[in-house]
Amino acid sequence: MATRLGLGLPQMRQYDIGKDVPEVARTAEQIGYDSLWVFERALFPEPATQGLYGIEGLPWPDEYRHVADPLVTLTLAAAATERARLGSSVLVAPLHVPFQLAKALASLDAASGGRVIAGLGTGWSHDEYAAASVRPFEERGQVLDEVIEVCRAVWGADPVSYDGRITKIAPAEVGPKPARPIPILLAAATKKAQRRLVDHADGWLPVAMGVDQLAAQWRELQDLAAERGREEPLQTVLRANAVWTPKAYDGANRQPFQGDVTQIVEDLAAYAELGLDEILIELQATPRDAQQLKDLATEVYEEARAAGV
């Protein structure tokens, strides 16, 4: 069975969000992509107080200077499509008020006919937390826990009630409800985050980091699920951040998903061998405009299917 393929929607500076998001979404669905995805970057600190991913000295990529809101982007895509699932990889959960996020996701799922995938994480940017978070950075794990609990409560049967650190819901009717239970996927790398995933979420959102390393992390997560008595299978969506070049990349230290279409597809095939459910291909950073993004997405999809991915 072929691996499901998803496509990252255009959110960056070179795109006209109102025009290009619906057009790319429609085209991707027509090509055959199974899902459409967004990510979240709230701001670009200038100067940066910390490196990318919290790694000292690692610069933020220039394309992060202008990233459209993920829920607005998904809403535009939902209105333009009928079949493709609509996911986030990831929403930085502590930057959102839990009740409002739960309500927005439920509304989007109801409007789209049950197509939302709630991919959540804790983020890493101190500057984003200073600007937008509901609690301090040090409490990010606790906030994610509460977001998950509030979502489950709000999406469940009425009357809804909840008594948490941030959220207080007296018994109330809360609608609309999702069209079906929205899967919650987490980006989990640490042991504590993996336990949260196994115990409270529906699946995993890893990032392509090298096939062997990812395979080891996947085995570790499966072992943890067995150890903790989880019976439901873990859904998996791999994020592949592609750096496309028109010509083959001939550097000695080529990174995964760096190069021309043939090289990107070769990497897709290698990761597909791991047996993950789906691969999200993020292509939007290097194309100059939406037309080039659509052309590239078409070429990648067709070559991947021809290669048996």
Side-chain angles (χ1 to χ4, degrees), residues 116-149:
V116 171
I117 304 165
L120 307 177
T122 55
W124 46 267
S125 169
H126 293 170
D127 294 278
E128 290 182 338
Y129 269 75
S133 70
V134 295
R135 297 294 298 171
F137 183 79
E138 293 74 21
E139 298 178 23
R140 60 195 181 280
Q142 297 171 34
V143 175
L144 177 55
D145 288 336
E146 183 157 325
V147 167
I148 293 171
E149 291 174 356

Side-chain angles (χ1 to χ4, degrees), residues 64-75:
Y64 283 1
R65 291 181 180 274
H66 177 113
V67 178
D69 179 85
L71 292 178
V72 170
T73 304
L74 280 185
T75 302

Side-chain angles (χ1 to χ4, degrees), residues 191 195 198-199 220-230:
K191 291 289 187 183
R195 288 193 296 272
V198 166
D199 293 345
E220 184 179 294
L221 194 58
Q222 289 174 304
D223 289 344
L224 180 63
E227 175 187 315
R228 298 181 75 82
R230 181 185 175 110

Side-chain angles (χ1 to χ4, degrees), residues 18-230:
K19 172 177 172 289
D20 292 344
V21 170
E23 182 61 28
V24 170
R26 275 191 297 267
T27 299
E29 187 173 71
Q30 291 165 1
I31 293 166
Y33 281 96
D34 298 285
S35 55
L36 303 165
W37 295 82
V38 293
F39 74 103
E40 183 160 38
R41 277 277 67 81
L43 48 74
F44 188 101
E46 195 70 276
T49 59
Q50 64 179 149
L52 184 70
Y53 310 131
I55 300 172
E56 186 175 356
L58 187 64
W60 290 45
D62 193 61
E63 54 264 27
Y64 283 1
R65 291 181 180 274
H66 177 113
V67 178
D69 179 85
L71 292 178
V72 170
T73 304
L74 280 185
T75 302
L76 290 167
T81 55
E82 297 179 354
R83 172 189 56 80
R85 288 170 300 120
L86 307 161
S88 55
S89 179
V90 296
L91 291 177
V92 183
L95 304 186
H96 299 264
V97 175
F99 179 82
Q100 292 176 336
L101 179 59
K103 175 99 175 180
L105 290 170
S107 298
L108 181 58
D109 193 72
S112 65
R115 294 190 279 146
V116 171
I117 304 165
L120 307 177
T122 55
W124 46 267
S125 169
H126 293 170
D127 294 278
E128 290 182 338
Y129 269 75
S133 70
V134 295
R135 297 294 298 171
F137 183 79
E138 293 74 21
E139 298 178 23
R140 60 195 181 280
Q142 297 171 34
V143 175
L144 177 55
D145 288 336
E146 183 157 325
V147 167
I148 293 171
E149 291 174 356
V150 170
C151 283
R152 301 290 194 204
V154 167
W155 300 341
D158 290 326
V160 174
S161 62
Y162 185 83
D163 185 9
R165 294 186 64 199
I166 304 166
T167 310
K168 310 287 184 182
I169 308 173
E173 292 189 17
V174 182
K177 300 297 184 185
R180 92 297 190 219
I182 299 174
I184 295 176
L185 277 60
L186 301 180
T190 67
K191 291 289 187 183
K192 185 174 182 179
Q194 288 175 347
R195 288 193 296 272
R196 175 187 294 115
L197 188 160
V198 166
D199 293 345
H200 302 296
D202 298 292
W204 183 40
L205 289 170
V207 176
M209 59 185 74
V211 173
D212 292 341
Q213 184 180 354
L214 185 65
Q217 195 170 353
W218 178 223
R219 287 193 299 270
E220 184 179 294
L221 194 58
Q222 289 174 304
D223 289 344
L224 180 63
E227 175 187 315
R228 298 181 75 82
R230 181 185 175 110

